[in-house]
Amino acid sequence: MTEEPAPAASPPLVGEWVRACGLQRADALALLRACAGISHAALLAHPEAPLPDSCAARLRQAAQRVRAGEPLAYVLGWKEFYGLRLQVGPQVLVPRPETELLVEFALQHLRPRQPAEVLDLGTGSGAVAIAVAAQRAHARVHASDRSAEALRLAQDNAARLLPAARPGGPLQWHLGDWMQALPEQAGPFDLLLSNPPYVAADDPHLAALRFEPALALVGARRSADGLAEIRALLVQAVPRLRAGGWLALEHGWNQAAAVRALLRDAGLRQVHSLRDLAGIPRVGAARAAP
Ligand SMILES: C[S@@+](CC[C@H](N)C(=O)[O-])C[C@H]1O[C@@H](n2cnc3c(N)ncnc32)[C@H](O)[C@@H]1O
């Protein structure tokens, strides 16, 4: 007896795929758009449309990566930060919304046409440096990182997102450990910004962050309180701040008091914390004596 050939499996329908893929709806919609070019509006209008064969395998693989815990931004290859679409990959931290606080702080302290020297320490994807440079065309913006791969990606992002000619000149890139990366003649700086590594070496949350670089999360100076890189940064950076210049540092949700104490110990004035949208103090800011 000859067996009937099994009927070819019909392609899944887009609405069914979104319900059954095992992802948060927002992540599923982002993948559907990136892999199949199907927008949220198209999904709502035609949930019964078949998923095109040409993208089903790509979509399955992308969904599998997200289910395995990889950040959606690495799977998509980009992350939006302060209205800019930054390329990201496993060589850099995925920029977080709370880091936009550093950009807002910078914009409050730099007038639109004011020439100023600004430095983003530990630039990663270039998020903070590029967002500030995009909004304050007259500022000379420097960016440093200890990771050569991160710095290359930041340079690509800047080349794509900033005008070729800006009054403040091109971004200045520096590879190395905090201020040791910079030539002696750079600065003094009107504004120092940093989202440094601040996760404690034994923090249990590190397991969930395993796809992101350890250098970005805990740094090379691993410490029990997560503050070793901030201590090293302050020792090197405060002497390069112009009189009256400002410094702002992102930190962990429970490190605000400790960071304010470090800023005072470094001889800075007007020490205060900035809160994120959830009301949690996430940035320590302070000023060099005028
Ligand atoms: C928390 S990530 C922040 C990246 C980016 N600024 C952002 O907010 O998305 C910290 C960055 O600091 C860099 N870094 C770590 N230790 C450093 C050091 N000693 N000197 C310079 N950069 C360092 C890491 O490579 C990483 O890119």
Side-chain angles (χ1 to χ4, degrees):
M1 194 174 104
T2 53
E3 275 187 25
E4 291 258 330
S10 49
L13 312 179
V14 288
E16 232 169 54
W17 183 83
V18 169
R19 273 193 304 280
C21 67
L23 301 179
Q24 306 244 352
R25 187 172 164 84
D27 291 0
L29 293 179
L31 290 185
L32 198 59
R33 177 163 213 137
C35 299
I38 297 173
S39 68
H40 191 185
L43 169 73
L44 292 176
H46 293 292
E48 77 295 350
L51 196 58
D53 269 351
S54 54
C55 36
R58 221 173 123 220
L59 195 54
R60 250 196 325 273
Q61 278 166 11
Q64 175 49 33
R65 288 172 64 188
V66 177
R67 280 196 300 270
E70 195 170 340
L72 176 71
Y74 288 166
V75 177
L76 296 173
W78 58 268
K79 174 78 184 177
E80 190 121 336
F81 179 85
Y82 217 84
L84 299 166
R85 186 175 279 206
L86 293 160
Q87 268 180 49
V88 294
Q91 66 275 50
V92 296
L93 187 92
V94 176
R96 309 292 205 263
E98 56 269 26
T99 304
E100 293 184 349
L101 271 179
L102 287 177
V103 179
E104 277 161 15
F105 181 84
L107 301 187
Q108 280 163 17
H109 288 85
L110 297 169
R111 284 193 301 278
R113 300 180 71 80
Q114 172 195 2
E117 294 283 327
V118 180
L119 169 60
D120 172 23
L121 290 140
T123 197
S125 60
V128 172
I130 296 170
V132 172
Q135 300 286 330
R136 292 293 182 262
H138 289 72
R140 200 152 104 106
V141 180
H142 299 249
S144 75
D145 208 286
R146 193 171 189 160
S147 155
E149 291 100 333
L151 216 51
R152 269 197 295 278
L153 185 67
Q155 285 172 305
D156 286 352
N157 277 323
R160 212 166 25 81
L161 295 168
L162 292 174
R166 51 187 299 281
L171 265 61
Q172 309 286 309
W173 306 100
H174 308 282
L175 174 65
D177 184 24
W178 301 133
M179 300 306 282
Q180 290 170 26
L182 278 89
E184 260 175 38
Q185 70 275 15
F189 291 95
D190 300 281
L191 192 53
L192 293 173
L193 303 165
S194 184
N195 174 17
Y198 52 71
V199 182
D202 63 353
D203 189 315
H205 296 103
L206 283 169
L209 301 170
R210 66 192 179 284
F211 287 92
E212 292 181 274
L215 184 63
L217 297 165
V218 293
R221 301 172 172 89
R222 302 164 60 80
S223 58
D225 63 1
L227 296 171
E229 291 291 359
I230 292 185
R231 289 191 191 92
L233 183 158
L234 287 174
V235 167
Q236 296 183 29
V238 170
R240 310 279 293 266
L241 205 49
R242 195 191 297 284
W246 284 95
L247 173 148
L249 291 178
E250 183 172 323
H251 54 67
W253 62 274
N254 57 354
Q255 293 171 329
V259 168
R260 286 195 302 269
L262 291 174
L263 294 173
R264 275 187 216 101
D265 292 350
L268 297 173
R269 316 259 180 100
Q270 299 183 42
V271 174
H272 62 287
S273 298
L274 310 176
R275 292 174 187 273
D276 65 15
L277 290 175
I280 300 167
R282 293 303 306 270
V283 167
R287 190 173 200 189

